[in-house]
Amino acid sequence: MRIGGFLVALGACCVASSGYAAEVTTIPKIQGLGHVSPLDGKVVRFEGVVTQIRDKTFFVQDPIGDGNHLTSDGILVRREPVGLQIGDVVRVEGSVEEQSGGFGEFSTTTVTRSIFTKIGSGAIPTPVTIGASGRKPPTEVIVSATGSFDPERSGADFFETLEGMLVTIAEPIVVGPLAKKSNAFYVVADRGANATGMNSLGGITATPGDANPERIRVQIGKPFVPANFLVSVGDQFSRLGGVVITDGGSYGIQLQSHAEYVPKVWQFPPVETQPSADVLTIASYNVENLDAKVEEPAKVPSTDDVDDDVGAKKFAAVADHIVKLLGAPDVVALQEVQDDDGGELSDEVGAEKTLRTLTDAISAAGGPAYQAVSLNPVDDAEGGQPGGNIRLAYLVNPQRAVVDANLAKRIGDPSFERTRLPLALPLKFHGTEVMIINVHFSSKSGSDPLYGTIQPPKDSTGLIRIGQARAVREFIRSLPADGRRSVVIVGDFNTFWYEEPLLLLTGGMPDLRNMALDNEPLDRVSYTFQGNSQSLDHALVLLGEGQSAEMRTLHVNSVLPEEKQISDHDPKLLSITFKR
């Protein structure tokens, strides 16, 4: 456009390929059919109604559309919306560009290097309803295996047809609590009535072949702030409104309106069983970078690495979970215990102070005087937060089990490079040996996004975890024969119950039993990631003669917003009954 007064009002503005005349078109024609605009790289001119305003960008929607539900009527304009209000009719000129937030993520069709002018006011388009009374998203397939554009079956394609458009999510239920860093939570429409994989907690569980494309990410920004939306799994709204965006590796909405919020009242009943002479109880708990030091800012890479677990009463809260909810188990297997100076970059590797602070907190909460058992890692060689030297550790009640800390052993293998080595600890319970192996396999971090251009998404450490499972299996095979011995593997496997590392350990020799399989498939959960309830923490057992076992997961963290979590994992409690 060449409108002199307009350019003066906004200042100089560059439009890509300014030597060429802009193509006069419509938003639906810019969006086209599919994930990439047929006008990508072209300079275009179009008109529409402003539907949402952000700090540096705004959304525009064609008030009439083209009548084709396979093409979107909305688009994102990257230009500071000076003087604009929702409902303004604007003429925009700029360059069409497909922009992606990260490698492998689907792109967003945007108009960049743009100028605009207000030409009037108009009615805001009626939002498209997502739900049974409008358009229902697919429930199983995220990206079509054929590569064809199929909004009826592919979740990514379905939401692409709504990119940049105003929508209303009907009767949403929260399936992923608010994450602090991203300021986002996840919902499904219709209280989950038309979703597959809804579990008894009110969340939605990832299962083989079903990554739940009906999950919708709700991104919070101005004028809303996260404090208004400390939502938990199971919370409900009558509706949520916003504009469909691609962000954080998934599709969702930029929140614009909400109505009738009804929170779920979460109660966490304690384990009611009393200690029994014939029952050994073993808990497993990832305590998420627990340390007793307030890091000095000059000694950490970023101020984000400074925390105060003592001042924030995290030690007291973990102690309450162990004593009052888990019933002061005979053994507690811990993951992610940091060294004594936390995330500071130093030569410190010991965790005596960290563990003593925890055992003191447990005693103050009315628990037993636990004996801590841990072996130091190699400095900065086993992953986790830089400088933190996270490791595996045990708390053992010496009044209930006999343990010799000198017999603790780390299981070494090349597959554990840059990862925590498993910690094996034999103990005696009424004269019978119990070999406990505490694991923290390699994280799935760095894997391809579920909503991504790389399909099927690659698990970046899947082969590594298979090697780690094999190393643990070989250690068990090397144990001397003992028909009365119990072997227990607990911890954070970073592996779903149906993936190969766990299948290696629960099939063949030794034939361990995954206690999670006693639960219904949809309730095998201990962690929530991007709205998907998942099973990363497990308890595997190889029982001796005359022994039986049961396990329960206490969902005290994964259902809550990050601000209210003690850890991002739920603890597990295993009970083994011995025949005397």
Side-chain angles (χ1 to χ4, degrees), residues 102-133:
F103 177 76
E105 294 181 8
F106 281 115
S107 61
T108 299
T109 303
T110 61
V111 179
T112 65
R113 291 164 285 181
S114 61
I115 58 176
F116 67 84
T117 185
K118 177 181 174 180
I119 58 176
S121 299
I124 299 172
T126 301
V128 174
T129 297
I130 297 179
S133 60

Side-chain angles (χ1 to χ4, degrees), residues 167-283:
V167 298
T168 294
I169 305 171
E171 297 189 303
I173 183 171
V174 176
V175 294
L178 182 73
K180 181 179 179 180
K181 186 174 182 180
S182 64
N183 292 339
F185 60 96
Y186 286 78
V187 301
V188 296
D190 301 323
R191 305 282 190 263
N194 297 301
T196 57
M198 294 298 290
N199 58 47
S200 63
L201 302 173
I204 190 168
T205 304
T207 52
D210 185 1
N212 300 318
E214 62 268 49
R215 292 171 297 121
I216 304 172
R217 189 176 195 261
V218 180
Q219 181 68 55
I220 300 172
K222 294 180 180 179
F224 304 115
V225 294
N228 302 133
F229 288 90
L230 290 179
V231 295
S232 302
V233 170
D235 290 359
Q236 299 178 6
F237 297 85
S238 63
R239 63 172 176 81
L240 292 171
V243 173
V244 173
I245 59 174
T246 310
D247 197 9
S250 60
Y251 282 89
I253 66 169
Q254 182 73 39
L255 184 63
Q256 189 157 314
S257 64
H258 65 98
E260 298 179 30
Y261 171 58
V262 180
K264 179 173 181 175
V265 178
W266 281 100
Q267 295 180 335
F268 306 115
V271 174
E272 296 179 353
T273 56
Q274 297 297 316
S276 169
D278 298 332
V279 179
L280 176 70
T281 53
I282 303 170

Side-chain angles (χ1 to χ4, degrees), residues 322-383:
I322 291 173
V323 176
K324 298 176 182 178
L325 292 181
L326 293 166
D330 303 323
V331 182
V332 183
L334 301 170
Q335 301 90 45
E336 292 200 22
V337 174
Q338 289 196 339
D339 64 27
D340 287 339
D341 64 4
E344 293 184 356
L345 300 181
S346 70
D347 295 330
E348 178 65 70
V349 293
E352 291 80 7
K353 181 180 178 181
T354 303
L355 290 168
R356 185 173 63 254
T357 303
L358 179 57
T359 55
D360 287 348
I362 290 171
S363 295
Y370 280 114
Q371 176 184 349
V373 179
S374 176
L375 295 177
N376 292 337
V378 178
D379 189 25
D380 291 329
E382 299 188 17

Side-chain angles (χ1 to χ4, degrees), residues 275-280 400 429-432 484 544-548 576-580:
S276 169
D278 298 332
V279 179
L280 176 70
R400 294 276 298 166
F429 185 72
H430 296 309
T432 299
R484 299 181 64 234
E545 298 170 0
Q547 299 166 12
S548 60
I576 303 177
T577 301
F578 290 75
K579 182 179 179 181
R580 297 179 66 184

Side-chain angles (χ1 to χ4, degrees), residues 270 283 285-287 290 309-310 312-329 332 334 354-368 370 395 554 556-557 566-567 571:
Y285 203 168
N286 182 323
V287 289
L290 186 69
D309 288 345
V310 176
K313 301 187 184 305
K314 180 173 179 177
F315 280 91
V318 172
D320 275 351
H321 279 181
I322 291 173
V323 176
K324 298 176 182 178
L325 292 181
L326 293 166
V332 183
L334 301 170
T354 303
L355 290 168
R356 185 173 63 254
T357 303
L358 179 57
T359 55
D360 287 348
I362 290 171
S363 295
Y370 280 114
L395 305 179
L554 281 75
V556 294
N557 292 314
I566 306 306
S567 167

